[in-house]
Amino acid sequence: MSVSLQISPEDLREIPAFHALPDEQRMSLAVVMVRRQYSAGQIIFMEGDEAGSLWFVASGRVKIIKQSLNGRVQGLCLMDRGKCFGSCPLFDMEKNPATAQALNEVTLFVLPEAALEQMRAHDPHLVKALLHIYSQRLEHLARVSEVLGAWTVPDRINDCLLTYADRAALEPVVELTQEKLASLSGTVREVVSRHLRLLEKAGIVRVEPGRIVILNVDALLPPCACEERRKPA
Amino acid sequence: MTVHAELLAKSRVFAALSPRTQRSIAEKAALAEFSEHVDLYHQGDPPAPLFILLSGRVKLYRQSKENCQILALPVPGDCLGAESLSTGTASPYSATTLTPTTAVTLSPEVLQILMDEHPDFQEIFLRLITDRLKQFVTLVHDLAFRDVTSRLATVLLARADSEGQAVEGGVVFDRLLSQQEFADMVGTAREVVYRTFKRLEDDGLINLSRQSILIRDSAALRAIAQQETR
């Protein structure tokens, strides 16, 4: 069960999209937004659902996925703290184009559709914040399209490892199962596991239950590596 | 060259703006002509100007060394560019003309002023970004869940819908893209596209010539396009 709780304006300071908002704006947002809690694996909304709220990740991780008629899952992205998803009416879309699922214990701040619409009409700051959010998402999806369409499967898996590794650590760790890794890189688990065995043999990664430790970051960069790929996600 | 406000009305989204905003945009806009195969902006560049396409065709694509993925083929009336204006980051993709092209252009500086002065322009800009976003969600879906034949069928039908002309025996449109560019659109190799085209032709679904493509059986093509094989 998800529990709703109050949000304070201070809580909203943690969300990058709200950084540039004036204080009184954050106050009025805090009044209309609600806090929701989800446990690991819980579905936040389904592809095809009607849902118009805007969701912000306060803690934990959410995965955004698409599913084919045959049940295959393609990960679009992982949203961690501060990231934002949802709000399809802005696109003129009645239905959600993807499914959102909690990856672990997740706390979300929700801006309900009615409040979003009302504030948007009166507030250029909020439109600016939305523009920022959607421009970032556009960049991300342009990149996902290239990776899916033009890259080889091994390059896609390597890229996924780099994208979702905790790069702050001395030995970067990817806290994802091979199943999830397969879904994010557009392939199946068997292919991921075969590729990881090759990488492990070459001393590039160490595979542990539920996680992968990266021993050699440079070896995972595709031959055509451009600068953006060196940056932490 | 000066830009008349009427030109802006050629774009579906700009037509929705108030006459005052339209005039204000027209005053700050420029009219530009490009020959074919000219780069309008590059992936990795600082935020690009906004182009309102009046005539001609452009491809939007991402490239890393030898690999290319075409993301969209805007038609006249569409807008492109300025994708990273709000984030101040690098352009997420490149744009190159496929044919001689004319466009109304708005520089990033002008766009910023327009957004500050005209709230309705901000809404338009948001719409441009979300429209493109919607396209990319569909593209990712197709790349992930449909095979090459189904993706090629999808591309052909989309083009027939937006630029096709009804003729005897079907719907015809300019070929516009090379075999390699078709491959870059559906995310495969040139040889695979060649074979796929040949099969669709042998089955009597399409006719391919140097200049144009004729869709002979759009119902059959649609059935292929809707298959999710993965």
Side-chain angles (χ1 to χ4, degrees), chain A residues 29-135:
Chain A
L29 273 171
V31 174
V32 293
M33 289 179 78
V34 284
R35 181 196 305 260
R36 284 179 186 276
Q37 233 103 28
Y38 293 87
S39 47
Q42 212 177 339
I43 299 285
I44 299 159
F45 55 73
M46 288 286 285
E47 179 171 354
D49 277 359
E50 287 181 35
S53 308
L54 198 57
W55 310 71
F56 297 87
V57 183
S59 70
R61 261 178 159 191
V62 174
K63 60 174 181 171
I64 310 294
I65 53 177
K66 284 191 80 72
Q67 200 155 9
S68 75
L69 298 173
N70 304 319
R72 186 160 147 177
V73 172
Q74 173 66 48
L76 289 184
C77 52
L78 292 182
M79 299 282 182
D80 43 25
R81 203 178 123 126
K83 295 277 168 57
C84 162
F85 58 93
S87 72
C88 304
L90 289 176
F91 298 48
D92 271 346
M93 267 177 150
E94 289 103 49
K95 309 258 160 75
N96 278 314
T99 296
Q101 188 180 17
L103 207 57
N104 46 18
E105 282 291 317
V106 172
T107 303
L108 300 174
F109 297 158
V110 189
L111 180 56
E113 181 178 5
L116 173 65
E117 281 302 321
Q118 204 197 358
M119 295 184 80
R120 183 177 151 216
H122 301 111
D123 186 4
H125 289 292
L126 190 64
V127 180
K128 238 176 214 161
L130 292 172
L131 256 172
H132 192 94
I133 291 165
Y134 290 118
S135 301

Side-chain angles (χ1 to χ4, degrees), chain A residues 68-70 120 139 146, chain B residues 62 64 89 123 228 230:
Chain A
S68 75
L69 298 173
N70 304 319
R120 183 177 151 216
E139 285 179 48
E146 179 200 340
Chain B
R62 278 182 66 98
S64 45
T89 50
E123 284 283 334
E228 282 188 11
R230 300 180 195 175

Side-chain angles (χ1 to χ4, degrees), chain B residues 35-152:
Chain B
S35 42
E36 58 182 344
H37 310 307
V38 171
D39 296 338
L40 299 181
Y41 54 92
H42 275 123
Q43 174 185 340
D45 282 355
L50 185 75
F51 298 83
I52 306 162
L53 209 55
L54 297 179
S55 70
R57 298 299 298 270
V58 176
K59 63 172 176 180
L60 306 182
Y61 59 102
R62 278 182 66 98
Q63 186 144 28
S64 45
K65 240 177 189 169
E66 71 272 32
N67 300 321
C68 178
Q69 176 66 44
I70 296 182
L71 303 168
L73 294 176
V75 295
D78 286 349
C79 293
L80 52 129
E83 291 86 2
S84 59
L85 186 74
S86 310
T87 49
T89 50
S91 289
Y93 41 83
S94 306
T96 300
T97 60
L98 293 163
T99 65
T101 293
T102 55
V104 172
T105 65
L106 291 160
S107 72
E109 298 72 30
V110 164
L111 288 171
Q112 207 64 68
I113 296 171
L114 287 171
M115 286 219 252
D116 293 339
E117 289 176 358
H118 301 277
D120 53 342
F121 183 72
Q122 249 191 21
E123 284 283 334
I124 294 292
F125 200 70
L126 183 62
R127 166 56 49 86
L128 291 176
I129 297 282
T130 52
D131 276 355
R132 186 74 69 212
L133 202 50
K134 225 169 16 177
Q135 263 186 352
F136 287 1
V137 171
T138 311
L139 177 63
V140 167
H141 181 101
D142 290 349
L143 287 169
F145 301 138
R146 301 189 200 280
D147 63 16
V148 171
T149 312
S150 161
R151 279 181 342 235
L152 186 60

Side-chain angles (χ1 to χ4, degrees), chain A residues 182-219:
Chain A
S183 152
L184 282 164
S185 48
T187 184
V188 289
R189 203 189 54 77
E190 292 71 27
V191 176
V192 166
S193 120
R194 197 181 325 136
H195 181 66
L196 286 176
R197 274 203 300 279
L198 284 176
L199 290 180
E200 198 167 30
K201 220 181 239 175
I204 297 166
V205 302
R206 190 172 63 239
V207 181
E208 296 174 1
R211 54 185 238 156
I212 297 134
V213 184
I214 301 179
L215 305 172
N216 183 351
V217 168
D218 286 346

